[in-house]
Amino acid sequence: MRDVAIIGIGITKFGELWDKSFRQLIAEAGSKAIIDAGIEGKEIDAIYVGSMSAGRFIGQEHVGALVADSSGFAHLHIPAIRVESACASGGLALRQGYLSVASGMNDIVVVGGIEKMSDVGGTAATETLATAADQEWEAFFGATFPGIYAMIATKHMHDYGTTREQLAQVAVKNHANGALNPNAQFRREISLDTVIKAPPVAQPLGLLDCSPVSDGAASLILCPAEKAKKYTDKPVKIIGSGQASDTLALHARDSICTFNSTVYAARMAYKQAKKTPKDIDVAEVHDCFTIAEIIAIEDLGFVEKGEGGKAIDNNITTLDGSLPVNTSGGLKAKGHPVGATGVAQVVEIVTQLRGEAEKRQVKDATIGLAHNVGGCGASCIVHILEAM
Amino acid sequence: MTIGGVARFWREIPQRYNLIGKQCGSCGRIYFPPRESCPYCRRKSIGKMRDIKLSGKGEIVTYTVIHVAPHNFEGQVPYPIAIVQLEEGPRITAQIVDCKIEDVKIGMKVEYTFRRIQEDGYTGAIYYGYKFKPCQQKQNHQ
């Protein structure tokens, strides 16, 4: 296994981008990353692209080849692989690209993530997201995707005394961070009261506890770490990569408030990186719902189980806290084009480790972590990155 | 749900109508929904998974109240839905009915009831299955 570095990043603006197509978005993110890395098209050995459900969102499958084509690489016949792991498709695309470079099979790999969700209506988008849950034994009986996370929230509040206000604080924090991110879908702060009084979606979660429907794409360029300085002064090394799975249905697990896929993926990544949660300076975690950030920071070992609700009051996960979480605005405020999310999280961590995050820069950040969840914790991918 | 998939519903009828699960003939663990093999015994359980009818009695592990529903459930909002732990061990997701929404609580004792679940807007097929209702209080006959 070789060490692997990220030498280029690219991201589009996230949001309801009516005037941008799937093809335009991925081409924009990819070309930004390629220019950032200073590589030539003919150097690319493979393309890995994460997309959850292009088939349902835009009626188009076979998007591996489509991405290579729309990026202008069809005549170069570069191998292109579409990767799917629901909302963790982007994180898994990075892991597959990482493994292919680490193995020695490929040198220069482009990793992309994309989703174009706004071409279908809100109901169709929500039902497509629900396909990440168990269709036969959860969705059939009327459980929605927010509903499944809401059941985690109910249990967390019951078992650990987590409050409605603590859930809402996650949205308030992430909106404040998103306001500092030029690519975020929501660039405005919101108040605790606004979150709590928002229309209910699935109790105790309201509209502003949920990440939005978004369009967007993100891209990364990987190469062997030993060659990274040839391309950039600020390469970032992937020092840990972990992945784990669990039952598709939440009800089939003993623990409702722990995602064991996160616990196992994190364990794998920490072990490879030879790091502990205390070593992490900045993290992007999968806050598809406010409760998801609370259990993520527990399962990643940033706080004890049950203490996640207090992390904002205790000044841990805030931008000026001891371990800032979701400096990009997270899925909540930056937006959640599902296939793009896992890649966009790593774009944010690389931006932080390069010291280029401007108003949302975490001082002296050298080690960062990205945590991407598929479905209701049936898949999880964790990456740990270090500035070289 | 995928539209028009009638066979997809028909083949799950024994489970959804009558709570038929599977019991591993090797270790005795009980599964619902049914599994082809036992995750603990794996190859030792192949061919030894037996049908077992579950009592339908259980307890609420956690719940929510759905306000924004999928297309086929829009007419039912708001409705409570819960993870129920059955007496025999398996946990399942189901709606809670025949009580006030505010009475639904973690730890509440509930039992199986056969109900209409949803109507497929495309085929018009009506899908039936299980929901759960509060356990009937024992009558004190004197």
Side-chain angles (χ1 to χ4, degrees), chain A residues 7 56 94 119 127 158 166 183 196 244 250 256 277 292 323 366 378:
Chain A
I7 54 169
R56 288 178 66 126
L94 171 58
D119 278 357
E127 288 180 9
H158 176 269
Q166 288 171 339
N183 292 315
I196 290 170
L250 178 68
I256 301 292
L323 202 178
T366 57

Side-chain angles (χ1 to χ4, degrees), chain A residues 3-353:
Chain A
D3 284 340
V4 178
I6 298 169
I7 54 169
I9 56 174
I11 190 164
T12 67
K13 187 168 169 29
F14 282 10
E16 291 183 352
L17 311 174
W18 308 109
D19 57 337
K20 293 270 175 67
S21 70
F22 181 100
R23 298 168 196 228
Q24 287 172 305
L25 288 168
I26 195 68
E28 179 187 332
S31 57
K32 279 180 177 167
I34 286 167
I35 291 164
D36 184 45
I39 58 166
E40 294 286 332
K42 59 180 186 295
E43 293 179 84
I44 300 168
D45 294 315
I47 299 168
Y48 288 83
V49 59
S51 159
M52 173 183 171
S53 194
R56 288 178 66 126
F57 285 124
I58 62 165
Q60 176 74 62
E61 300 292 13
H62 207 176
V63 295
L66 173 67
V67 165
D69 183 3
S70 49
S71 305
F73 298 136
H75 67 291
L76 296 176
H77 309 292
I78 297 168
I81 304 98
R82 181 256 185 103
V83 176
E84 189 275 315
S85 181
C87 321
S89 299
L92 188 55
L94 171 58
R95 182 166 155 81
Q96 295 307 306
Y98 162 75
L99 292 173
S100 83
V101 176
S103 74
M105 183 65 92
N106 292 321
D107 274 346
I108 302 282
V109 162
V110 179
V111 173
I114 175 154
E115 217 72 58
K116 173 71 192 173
M117 300 168 72
S118 70
D119 278 357
V120 296
T123 308
T126 309
E127 288 180 9
T128 297
L129 292 173
T131 64
D134 188 325
Q135 285 293 296
E136 307 293 341
W137 304 103
E138 292 181 316
F140 175 83
F141 294 95
T144 60
F145 201 53
I148 293 166
Y149 273 93
M151 289 198 282
I152 299 174
T154 305
K155 183 78 170 144
H156 205 278
M157 293 165 94
H158 176 269
D159 288 4
Y160 303 113
T162 301
T163 65
R164 178 69 189 94
E165 286 70 22
Q166 288 171 339
L167 293 173
Q169 282 176 341
V170 175
V172 172
K173 168 181 76 73
N174 291 348
H175 268 259
N177 291 347
L180 305 176
N181 181 355
N183 292 315
Q185 181 162 358
F186 300 125
R187 297 200 62 203
R188 60 173 185 272
E189 297 190 14
I190 52 173
S191 72
L192 197 70
D193 202 42
T194 309
V195 181
I196 290 170
K197 288 184 177 160
V201 172
Q203 285 173 18
L205 304 179
L207 187 63
L208 294 176
D209 289 277
C210 308
S211 54
V213 167
S214 318
D215 305 324
S219 183
L220 303 163
I221 312 296
L222 310 184
C223 86
E226 62 190 22
K227 296 182 184 170
K229 287 270 163 86
K230 208 174 91 185
Y231 295 99
T232 173
D233 295 337
K234 293 178 179 175
V236 168
K237 193 153 86 170
I238 299 173
I239 57 173
S241 175
Q243 181 192 354
S245 32
D246 205 340
T247 61
L248 215 55
L250 178 68
H251 62 226
R253 304 179 201 152
D254 290 337
S255 172
I256 301 292
C257 295
T258 297
F259 282 174
N260 277 317
S261 57
T262 296
V263 173
Y264 279 78
R267 192 178 293 169
M268 194 186 291
Y270 286 134
K271 187 180 173 197
Q272 183 189 356
K274 298 187 178 68
K275 301 291 177 195
T276 71
K278 287 192 174 60
D279 297 315
I280 306 299
D281 299 317
V282 57
E284 289 283 302
V285 312
H286 199 93
D287 61 322
C288 49
F289 300 96
T290 49
I291 182 63
E293 176 168 318
I294 289 173
I295 65 165
I297 60 175
E298 295 169 352
D299 295 340
L300 290 165
F302 298 164
V303 296
E304 293 289 314
K305 181 52 68 182
E307 299 293 306
K310 299 172 191 153
I312 293 173
D313 272 344
N314 291 345
N315 212 29
I316 296 170
T317 51
T318 46
L319 194 52
D320 59 352
S322 54
L323 202 178
V325 167
N326 286 330
T327 57
S328 69
L331 284 54
K332 176 69 204 77
K334 184 185 58 196
H336 183 28
V338 280
T341 284
V343 180
Q345 291 176 319
V346 175
V347 167
E348 176 68 9
I349 296 296
V350 171
T351 305
Q352 288 283 356
L353 301 185

Side-chain angles (χ1 to χ4, degrees), chain B residues 65-124:
Chain B
V65 180
I66 305 284
H67 289 264
V68 179
H71 197 63
N72 290 358
F73 292 85
E74 274 171 356
Q76 302 185 33
V77 294
Y79 56 90
I81 194 158
I83 292 177
V84 173
Q85 172 132 22
L86 300 171
E87 276 180 348
E88 296 88 347
R91 289 177 172 185
I92 61 180
T93 298
Q95 285 189 35
I96 307 298
V97 292
D98 293 359
C99 64
K100 288 183 190 159
I101 286 179
E102 53 271 25
D103 290 343
V104 177
K105 292 280 180 298
I106 289 176
M108 185 180 185
K109 306 281 186 202
V110 291
E111 62 188 8
Y112 158 94
T113 179
F114 179 76
R115 296 293 164 99
R116 173 157 121 162
I117 303 295
Q118 54 166 298
E119 191 171 331
D120 189 313
Y122 181 74
T123 62

